[in-house]
């Protein structure tokens, strides 16, 4: 897949963070960390993608946003992303998405208001397959 998707965390409309350890837990042995802001996922010789991490200001053990460059089709990527959405006030979106994707509907009240103007109404997902369906429908 040749696009980028974004995972971000907010609290009351302001940047918040996902613990780096939560990212490690979500992807396990498939994850390598060549640099502090560049990580790589490899699910096999043809299934890989890059993660670019933006640290949360003042909290180096937390990440405000993750950019997934050229997400692969392997379901383990999407399951890991769904696992990250379980963290407080975390959202996933991508160019052309029908709305920001959330696991918990209560997350919507923590997102910046202009996110809805640009992306539309939130969509609740539960599994990696749900995220993939939203991408395929876009």
């Amino acid at each position: 897949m040749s696009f980028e998707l974004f995972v971000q965390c907010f609290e009351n409309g302001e940047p918040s963070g996902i613990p780096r350890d939560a990212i490690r837990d979500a992807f396990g042995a498939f994850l390598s960390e060549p640099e502090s802001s560049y990580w790589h996922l490899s699910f096999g010789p043809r299934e890989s993608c890059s993660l670019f991490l933006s640290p949360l200001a003042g909290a180096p053990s937390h990440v405000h946003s993750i950019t997934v460059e050229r997400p692969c089709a392997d379901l383990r990527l999407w399951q890991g992303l769904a696992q990250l959405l379980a963290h407080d006030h975390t959202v996933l979106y991508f160019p052309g998405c029908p709305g920001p994707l959330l696991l918990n509907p209560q997350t919507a009240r923590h997102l910046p208001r202009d996110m809805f103007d640009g992306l539309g109404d939130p969509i609740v997902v539960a599994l990696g397959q749900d995220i993939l369906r939203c991408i395929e429908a876009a």
Side-chain angles (χ1 to χ4, degrees):
M1 297 181 207
S2 185
F3 68 99
E4 293 178 337
L5 65 82
F6 309 94
V7 177
Q8 288 186 299
C9 189
F10 295 95
E11 187 166 350
N12 299 320
E14 298 297 323
S16 186
I18 302 166
R20 287 177 182 266
D21 283 342
I23 303 166
R24 291 178 182 110
D25 290 344
F27 298 111
F30 304 109
L31 181 67
S32 64
E33 302 178 31
E35 298 175 25
S36 66
S37 62
Y38 167 71
W39 292 5
H40 187 76
L41 288 170
S42 181
F43 302 102
R46 295 186 192 143
E47 297 289 335
S48 66
C49 58
S50 298
L51 306 179
F52 295 91
L53 288 65
S54 298
L56 179 64
S61 65
H62 286 67
V63 172
H64 165 61
S65 67
I66 304 165
T67 300
V68 181
E69 184 178 83
R70 295 179 172 257
C72 63
D74 194 288
L75 187 56
R76 292 170 289 192
L77 166 66
W78 304 101
Q79 291 168 329
L81 291 171
Q83 184 175 331
L84 290 177
L85 289 179
H87 290 276
D88 289 341
H89 323 305
T90 303
V91 60
L92 182 149
Y93 59 96
F94 53 91
C97 70
L101 307 181
L102 323 166
L103 184 75
N104 181 345
Q106 297 302 315
T107 295
R109 65 186 180 138
H110 289 277
L111 303 179
R113 302 288 19 125
D114 61 351
M115 184 171 273
F116 301 114
D117 295 338
L119 298 175
D121 293 330
I123 298 169
V124 176
V125 296
L127 304 168
Q129 294 93 325
D130 299 335
I131 298 169
L132 271 174
R133 277 193 283 277
C134 288
I135 290 170
E136 291 167 354

